[in-house]
Amino acid sequence: MLNYPFMQNAFVAGTLIAIVSGFVGTFVVARRMSFLTHTLSEIGFAGASFALYMSWSPLVGMLLFSVGASMTVGEMGVKESRSESLISAVSAIAIGLGIAFLALSKKNATAATGILFGSIFSISRTDVVEVVVLAILVLLIGLAMFRPLRHFAFDYSTALFSLKNIRLIEVAFLALMATTVAVSAQVVGSLLIFILMILPASSAMRWGRTVWQIIGLAILFAVVGVWVALVLSYTLNLPVSFFIAIIEAGIYFVSLIGKK
Amino acid sequence: MTILTGSGVGIQFGERWLYQDVAFKLEKGRVLALIGDNGVGKTTLLRAILGQLELTAGELDWQIDVKNRMISYVPQYRPDMQAFPLKVTDFVSLSFDKGILPWLKPTEKERLQHVLADTHLTKIANARIDTASGGERQRAYLAQALVQNPNVLILDEATANLDNVAKYELMNVVRDYRDHHDLTTIMVSHDLDIIGKYADDYLLLTPNGSEFGPIDQLDMTKLKVGNQDHA
């Protein structure tokens, strides 16, 4: 199985994406911004369709749109009271634009399915390089910002008074989040962004007692989910996203019941 | 020694002055009680002291330069405050939020243990913060502020919503800590018992002016109209 280049690509990209998603997802869940990731991925969908239309790599379009949106919509969404209706409106525009660009690009339905539900097996060597570079970049920046990020995400009420450059941290965090969304959509697709970014971190939150334990468990849950799903998908010939979704949701429900 | 002198301080919101011509001194090692009706702008003054808000008029003259100035803030306890199942030690360590090292230095670990002991949290250091009582949680917030080794501590209604035992426990911890460290405190409170027992000086803010002086000159009866506390 691992002799096939497409399997090697899938394993390398999948593993790194799982690590980044678990790491960044922990802060997203702690900061209670889960729903923003979903909006960002819908905006990313518009970006990926736009990229198809322009004949770019979908990752580039996704990155461009979701990072751009995180700087504007994200800032607005952070002000919690207005966020729900605002996010609905933005999602509507994003999905609408996505459909329009898909139609304009005159690509077949496979391209759309790939963006929406992930296409890890069709990922090329160049895509793998892009994913690896981005993932490592996010991890390095995340580690360098670990201390302020941890306070920002886990106790915003006091971070507000303790961190002098909190606006800067917020913007950097949104950019990291948007990049992670764009990268992890390569595996699970933009419709299922929750299953790698939110579910493993939410499960980990049930068991971990320190921030590092939570991050470690989130990465473990994400990586195991991706690996098992890749193997199952290869043998049973069903979509990878389906298996990751079932596994991560399974881990989450077990955590929910098993640990108060 | 005076570490901060406020003179002619005024803050304006739109057309309305919250207050004008406020003068006060923050003396090293003492506790300054900031009192006044709700909405008079106590929090805006705190934010100005924290450097997050510009004064409209007057100035805050610090005797400690920016480099050596560390102001830590303890918020009001609310039962619905977000709390993750972090253990108390890790929750307190959230305050180590400067620098790029992802783990704690040995000196920071030592400082953490020291502050946990001072805030009577050593016994529950490994318990989950979300299972701690209100008083314990509030002491964890205090510990978060103290591990930063502040020279100025701000208690923003830190004893509100605490029961009668827990609020004195918290203030006793602050007082004991102050006796052994170089710490100056500003507290906002509506609790006349707490103010009378722990404050050294007071600054009363009203829309018409301010009053500053040692606490024994505060006319508490003026703050009680009817049966209500107006502090």
Side-chain angles (χ1 to χ4, degrees):
Chain A
M1 177 172 77
L2 283 174
N3 293 331
Y4 294 108
F6 77 90
M7 264 329 249
Q8 293 166 358
N9 291 346
F11 264 96
V12 171
T15 306
L16 259 166
I17 288 169
I19 293 171
V20 177
S21 301
F23 182 77
V24 176
T26 301
F27 296 105
V28 174
V29 172
R31 185 67 192 91
R32 311 248 151 107
M33 282 187 173
S34 307
F35 271 90
L36 194 57
T37 60
H38 199 75
T39 312
L40 285 178
S41 75
E42 283 163 348
I43 294 166
F45 163 64
S49 318
F50 181 67
L52 277 185
Y53 170 58
M54 300 292 284
S55 306
W56 302 341
S57 147
L59 179 59
V60 173
M62 209 155 186
L63 210 56
L64 212 64
F65 274 51
S66 56
V67 174
S70 74
M71 298 293 114
T72 49
V73 182
E75 282 287 290
M76 289 191 260
V78 168
K79 313 216 171 9
E80 277 136 49
S81 56
R82 285 180 296 160
S83 63
E84 275 184 34
S85 24
L86 179 78
I87 281 179
S88 313
V90 171
S91 294
I93 296 172
I95 302 249
L97 277 177
I99 298 168
F101 286 129
L102 270 181
L104 283 174
S105 74
K106 306 215 165 43
K107 290 270 169 19
N108 54 20
T110 324
T113 318
I115 296 173
L116 287 171
F117 301 104
S119 55
I120 186 83
F121 285 134
S122 58
I123 206 164
S124 69
R125 260 302 132 126
T126 355
D127 295 337
V128 173
V129 173
E130 281 176 3
V131 164
V132 168
V133 168
L134 280 175
I136 289 176
L137 200 67
V138 169
L139 278 176
L140 286 180
I141 296 175
L143 277 176
M145 286 178 55
F146 180 75
R147 285 184 174 218
L149 211 52
R150 176 179 67 168
H151 199 176
F152 168 82
F154 278 83
D155 194 9
Y156 188 72
S157 62
T158 53
L160 211 52
F161 295 98
S162 175
L163 294 168
K164 291 204 166 51
N165 42 3
I166 196 151
R167 300 298 298 161
L168 190 71
I169 288 161
E170 197 154 85
V171 170
F173 174 65
L174 287 168
L176 285 183
M177 187 168 136
T179 311
T180 312
V181 165
V183 174
S184 92
Q186 304 305 305
V187 180
V188 295
S190 52
L191 268 189
L192 291 166
I193 206 76
F194 276 169
I195 63 182
L196 273 187
M197 275 190 82
I198 305 305
L199 285 181
S202 303
S203 312
M205 210 66 99
R206 295 253 150 196
W207 305 90
R209 290 293 162 261
T210 69
V211 175
W212 274 118
Q213 280 175 12
I214 295 173
I215 290 174
L217 284 171
I219 291 177
L220 180 77
F221 293 156
V223 169
V224 167
V226 168
W227 284 353
V228 174
L230 282 173
V231 173
L232 285 176
S233 172
Y234 178 81
T235 38
L236 299 175
N237 204 19
L238 279 169
V240 187
S241 304
F242 163 70
F243 291 111
I244 306 184
I246 297 299
I247 294 165
E248 297 305 342
I251 294 174
Y252 178 69
F253 285 124
V254 168
S255 308
L256 207 58
I257 297 161
K259 199 85 185 176
K260 171 66 191 68
Chain B
M1 183 191 136
T2 306
I3 62 173
L4 169 66
T5 310
S7 49
V9 172
I11 291 179
Q12 195 177 19
F13 263 139
E15 291 288 288
R16 188 170 73 105
W17 284 91
L18 286 173
Y19 37 76
Q20 267 174 298
D21 269 329
V22 175
F24 65 95
K25 278 181 181 345
L26 186 60
E27 302 285 345
K28 189 173 180 177
R30 287 167 77 92
V31 178
L32 172 68
L34 183 55
I35 47 190
D37 284 340
N38 279 332
V40 79
K42 298 183 294 279
T43 306
T44 56
L45 183 59
L46 289 183
R47 290 187 55 206
I49 291 172
L50 279 161
Q52 297 180 336
L53 193 105
E54 292 280 319
L55 295 178
T56 321
E59 59 184 86
L60 296 171
D61 184 19
W62 285 95
Q63 300 301 310
I64 320 171
D65 54 29
V66 181
K67 242 191 6 247
N68 299 318
R69 196 188 308 154
M70 184 69 216
I71 311 172
S72 293
Y73 178 90
V74 182
Q76 183 177 351
Y77 169 73
R78 293 191 315 271
D80 63 341
M81 256 178 176
Q82 71 172 357
F84 297 100
L86 293 180
K87 53 182 189 178
V88 171
T89 343
D90 217 53
F91 181 76
V92 173
S93 332
L94 291 179
S95 268
F96 290 115
D97 55 11
K98 316 272 184 301
I100 58 162
L101 203 64
W103 53 85
L104 293 185
K105 288 182 278 196
T107 49
E108 288 171 329
K109 282 188 186 153
E110 213 171 285
R111 169 112 205 108
L112 180 63
Q113 291 311 321
H114 176 86
V115 167
L116 286 175
D118 281 351
T119 48
H120 310 318
L121 291 170
T122 307
K123 261 192 206 150
I124 60 158
N126 286 318
R128 286 164 46 170
I129 187 75
D130 59 341
T131 59
S133 72
E136 288 164 346
R137 250 203 249 187
Q138 194 61 351
R139 272 184 281 130
Y141 273 113
L142 176 64
Q144 265 195 353
L146 293 179
V147 289
Q148 296 183 324
N149 207 3
N151 17 50
V152 177
L153 179 71
I154 292 182
L155 304 173
D156 192 358
E157 305 200 32
T159 56
N161 300 333
L162 291 184
D163 63 46
N164 259 326
V165 178
K167 73 182 188 192
Y168 289 111
E169 210 177 346
L170 184 83
M171 290 310 296
N172 286 338
V173 167
V174 174
R175 190 170 56 187
D176 293 347
Y177 187 91
R178 193 261 313 253
D179 290 344
H180 299 100
H181 299 78
D182 168 17
L183 183 74
T184 308
T185 310
I186 303 176
M187 62 182 233
V188 171
S189 180
H190 289 275
D191 189 324
L192 294 180
D193 293 335
I194 292 285
I195 295 169
K197 192 157 181 235
Y198 296 95
D200 301 307
D201 303 301
Y202 77 96
L203 171 61
L204 172 66
L205 289 180
T206 70
N208 311 317
S210 72
E211 219 181 282
F212 171 77
I215 198 73
D216 49 19
Q217 286 176 17
L218 173 64
D219 185 1
M220 296 260 188
T221 53
K222 237 179 20 186
L223 302 172
K224 289 181 179 175
V225 180
N227 278 324
Q228 271 189 311
D229 284 351
H230 274 253

